[in-house]
Amino acid sequence: MKRILVPTDFSEQAQYAFEVAVTIAKRTGAAIKLLHVVEMPYSPSFSATGDTIYNDNMEQVYMMRLLETTKGNMARLMNKVNHAGVDVVQDVDVDSIVGKIKRVVAEDNVDLIVMGSKGSSGMDEFLIGSNTEKVVRTARCPVLTIKQHQPDFEIKEIVLASDFRREISKAMDAFKFFQQLFGARLHLVYINTPGAFESSTNLRSKLAHTAEKYGLHNYTINVYNDTIEEDGILHFADDINADMIMMATHGRTGLSHLLSGSIAEDLVNHTSRPVLTYQI
């Protein structure tokens, strides 16, 4: 792992994400890019590249003050988090948040995004979701979502939930990396629901085959019964007091996503535990 991207809106959750990214960077030697994106409508008189082509003095004053405030917020965030020994660069841009993140991932060959999230629920979630959810759905690299303060970020027990039907080899490489990075125990779990019930014997055999196929070590095999997959994953994680949940996501968008949703994105919104997602 060489490059970690940390988008920030200067919230408490974003600071928690920066702290976690620093911990991972110290373990891996990775560099961090701390990114803040100002979302605002483009106009013919504004250039996001920094070239001033202003036609309106009020717009120029507003943007100058906004950039000054942003630089001050960046400086305070850097001072709050002990990042000694870690290469941290700052980037501020005017763009769409998700669009900018996707470009940085591609241009910088980012290996991991670490994002803070407050989550979303109810009508807000149904209508727009969160920026974190959108990044989880579209990012071409693993996304680690942080909601709570993680002063030590010691990962010992990891839940890996899947239907183990689709090809997840690319995601599995990322999951194995995190397991090995922290020396954690991996708990493979299949959530058995009334609508898609299978015998425990068949499911355990399927999970054992997955573990053998990907050369897993230090793992357990689990079949957990619940009404829906998301609840089952959350309840299982509670039962074993998991430090992290890992899942692959299908990355659907538009009408397909609206109709089918994604368990991984729901988990990002509804659990307080760190969640590592990978789009397949």
Side-chain angles (χ1 to χ4, degrees):
M1 182 175 293
K2 296 181 179 180
R3 296 176 179 86
I4 301 173
L5 175 63
V6 183
T8 181
D9 60 359
F10 308 117
S11 65
E12 287 185 353
Q13 289 78 13
Q15 179 179 327
Y16 302 155
F18 184 28
E19 292 169 349
V20 167
V22 168
T23 298
I24 296 172
K26 287 180 177 178
R27 285 179 176 260
T28 62
I32 295 175
K33 173 170 281 190
L34 196 59
L35 172 68
H36 178 74
V37 180
V38 179
E39 284 197 298
M40 65 177 294
Y42 284 101
S43 72
S45 61
F46 178 73
S47 170
T49 64
D51 299 327
T52 54
I53 52 174
Y54 300 103
N55 294 325
D56 189 300
N57 288 335
M58 290 300 295
E59 184 180 79
Q60 183 176 6
V61 170
Y62 171 77
M63 287 306 303
M64 290 178 64
R65 288 181 177 175
L66 182 60
L67 289 174
E68 289 175 2
T69 300
T70 300
K71 289 177 181 178
N73 288 333
M74 275 286 197
R76 282 187 286 274
L77 178 58
M78 293 285 285
N79 289 332
K80 285 180 180 178
V81 177
N82 180 9
H83 57 278
V86 177
D87 180 15
V88 180
V89 298
Q90 303 170 41
D91 186 6
V92 177
D93 200 357
V94 179
D95 206 332
S96 73
I97 295 174
V98 177
K100 175 65 177 181
I101 289 172
K102 290 171 68 175
R103 282 190 291 278
V104 171
V105 168
E107 293 168 2
D108 292 1
N109 294 317
V110 170
D111 300 298
L112 174 69
I113 299 171
V114 185
M115 289 190 74
S117 175
K118 297 177 183 177
S120 58
S121 59
M123 187 57 67
D124 176 63
E125 179 182 8
F126 179 76
L127 292 175
I128 61 172
S130 65
N131 283 317
T132 305
E133 180 184 343
K134 295 172 187 175
V135 172
V136 165
R137 190 189 315 150
T138 60
R140 296 295 181 180
C141 68
V143 180
L144 178 59
T145 306
I146 303 296
K147 284 188 181 178
Q148 294 186 339
H149 186 39
Q150 307 283 334
D152 299 316
F153 199 63
E154 284 295 328
I155 304 300
K156 298 301 180 186
E157 309 292 339
I158 299 177
V159 173
L160 174 53
S162 175
D163 58 11
F164 300 99
R165 292 191 182 97
R166 289 170 289 186
E167 183 61 39
I168 58 172
S169 56
K170 193 173 182 181
M172 190 63 81
D173 289 340
F175 297 155
K176 287 174 63 176
F177 174 83
F178 264 84
Q179 180 196 10
Q180 295 164 7
L181 182 64
F182 291 95
R185 181 166 52 172
L186 192 62
H187 301 271
L188 304 181
V189 61
Y190 182 101
I191 307 302
N192 214 5
T193 62
F197 185 82
E198 292 188 49
S199 73
S200 295
T201 300
N202 289 343
L203 290 173
R204 288 184 180 278
S205 175
K206 186 183 299 184
L207 268 64
H209 173 74
T210 298
E212 181 179 357
K213 177 180 179 180
Y214 295 112
L216 300 182
H217 299 282
N218 190 19
Y219 65 90
T220 68
I221 289 175
N222 306 272
V223 176
Y224 196 91
N225 298 322
D226 215 317
T227 52
I228 60 175
E229 289 88 346
E230 181 190 342
D231 286 350
I233 295 167
L234 294 174
H235 294 156
F236 178 74
D238 288 341
D239 286 352
I240 69 166
N241 194 25
D243 301 301
M244 179 188 288
I245 299 172
M246 300 195 300
M247 281 197 70
T249 178
H250 54 55
R252 296 188 186 122
T253 59
L255 182 60
S256 172
H257 176 263
L258 181 63
L259 294 175
S260 66
S262 167
I263 298 170
E265 292 162 38
D266 288 342
L267 282 173
V268 166
N269 274 330
H270 299 147
T271 184
S272 61
R273 302 177 191 276
V275 179
L276 182 72
T277 56
Y278 195 104
Q279 185 198 136
I280 57 175

